[in-house]
Amino acid sequence: KGDYIMEREFVIVIDSCGDLSTELRQKYGIEYAKMGLVKKLKEGDVEVAADLDWNLYTNKELNDWMRGGMLIKTTQVSNQEYTEVFSKILSQGKDILYIACSSALSGSYNFSLVVKEELLEKYPDAKIIIGCDAHGLDALNNENVQKTFNFIEELELNVLENIELKK
């Protein structure tokens, strides 16, 4: 607990709740797993990716939709999205530090744990550390990312222990 030394390069992954600009993600080499965005229309629901790069729609369009009374909801990151994002990193021989949206707000965290277990069978030497709460991303403000990695690893173990205790 807490004394894991990185033997391999790792990539920080966030989900759409991380809300980091393209520039910041590129600067720090951060990847992200897209949540879904559901537009509630009279004709039915339309789902698109919650796009932090604003390629699918602009910030102004999103605000106009909401100002116009359109109900907008987000969905959790899908297993397929996690598998694609995590596999891309693991296939390069890198480990993952995933900072998820709070498990109290989204089922994404639970999906990430399922995908983690599946991918560790394929990449048994990999390390995938999953922590909750992408808001603020303390990893960017911490001069020693290794300490952040160790903290998240410890946090993950504590969350899993608490889940087991509740069963």
Side-chain angles (χ1 to χ4, degrees):
K1 257 181 157 173
D3 59 355
Y4 177 72
I5 303 299
M6 294 298 299
E7 295 175 6
R8 300 172 0 150
E9 184 178 346
F10 69 95
V11 175
I12 296 172
V13 178
I14 62 172
D15 56 36
S16 300
C17 285
D19 201 24
L20 290 178
S21 68
T22 304
E23 294 77 24
L24 274 177
R25 283 184 284 111
Q26 288 174 346
K27 179 178 180 179
Y28 292 100
I30 295 172
E31 297 289 335
Y32 86 101
K34 296 173 184 75
M35 295 179 142
L37 183 89
V38 178
K39 301 186 317 184
K40 298 279 188 179
L41 305 172
K42 291 177 186 172
E43 306 82 39
D45 296 349
V46 175
E47 185 170 346
V48 295
D51 184 14
L52 296 179
D53 297 319
W54 302 103
N55 291 325
L56 303 174
Y57 44 86
T58 66
N59 189 346
K60 182 182 180 330
E61 286 175 309
L62 178 63
N63 287 325
D64 287 348
W65 295 337
M66 292 187 289
R67 280 188 200 105
M70 184 181 296
L71 182 60
I72 304 287
K73 293 186 175 190
T74 56
T75 63
Q76 59 197 22
V77 179
S78 69
N79 284 15
Q80 180 181 347
E81 175 73 4
Y82 277 127
T83 300
E84 289 173 14
V85 172
F86 288 2
S87 293
K88 176 183 153 196
I89 296 165
L90 296 173
S91 69
Q92 298 169 6
K94 298 176 183 176
D95 291 331
I96 296 170
L97 168 58
Y98 172 51
I99 304 171
C101 178
S102 171
S103 59
L105 299 175
S106 172
S108 294
Y109 173 77
N110 292 327
F111 274 3
S112 71
L113 293 177
V114 170
V115 172
K116 171 185 174 175
E117 293 308 314
E118 291 171 359
L119 290 175
L120 287 177
E121 290 178 19
K122 185 175 180 180
Y123 301 96
D125 295 332
K127 188 79 170 174
I128 304 172
I129 304 299
I130 300 173
C132 290
D133 200 358
H135 304 286
L137 280 174
D138 290 333
L140 295 182
N141 298 320
N142 189 333
E143 290 180 17
N144 188 340
V145 176
Q146 180 64 51
K147 285 182 182 175
T148 301
F149 193 92
N150 290 341
F151 171 76
I152 297 296
E153 180 180 39
E154 202 165 311
L155 177 66
E156 177 189 34
L157 293 172
N158 288 333
V159 168
L160 292 174
E161 287 171 6
N162 286 333
I163 290 171
E164 285 299 314
L165 290 174
K166 290 181 182 178
K167 287 183 178 178

